[in-house]
Amino acid sequence: MVAERPHDMVPILAALIDDLGRDLRPGRIVLTLPDTPVPSRLDPDAFAVLARNLVENALLHGTPDTAVAVALTPAGTLQVINDSAPLPAETLARLTKRF
């Protein structure tokens, strides 16, 4: 979804992580944001839903005692990194197929 005008993704992601982190132990999510705005024409609500899904999945499927790293780069790349066991090759192959 494309917005009519660019929106800064930094405060959207910051608010989302703040909301998700309320019920978690401190340090469970480590957020890294740039010091400058990250404008995007991506619909802010769509970005929030996408980011929430990625972070919730990382929390759910990652190693419970490790942090989930969430970063937004100045170029607009969203990274969600968690520690988990590698997926078997057959599982990875299925992930790209439609349901």
Side-chain angles (χ1 to χ4, degrees), residues 38-84:
V38 178
S40 174
R41 297 264 327 260
L42 183 62
D43 179 79
D45 291 330
F47 174 72
V49 168
L50 169 74
R52 178 178 288 273
N53 286 344
L54 290 172
V55 175
E56 286 179 341
N57 282 339
L59 290 166
L60 179 65
H61 300 292
T63 306
D65 294 332
T66 62
V68 171
V70 179
L72 183 63
T73 70
T77 300
L78 175 64
Q79 301 170 332
V80 179
I81 303 167
N82 67 323
D83 184 48
S84 66

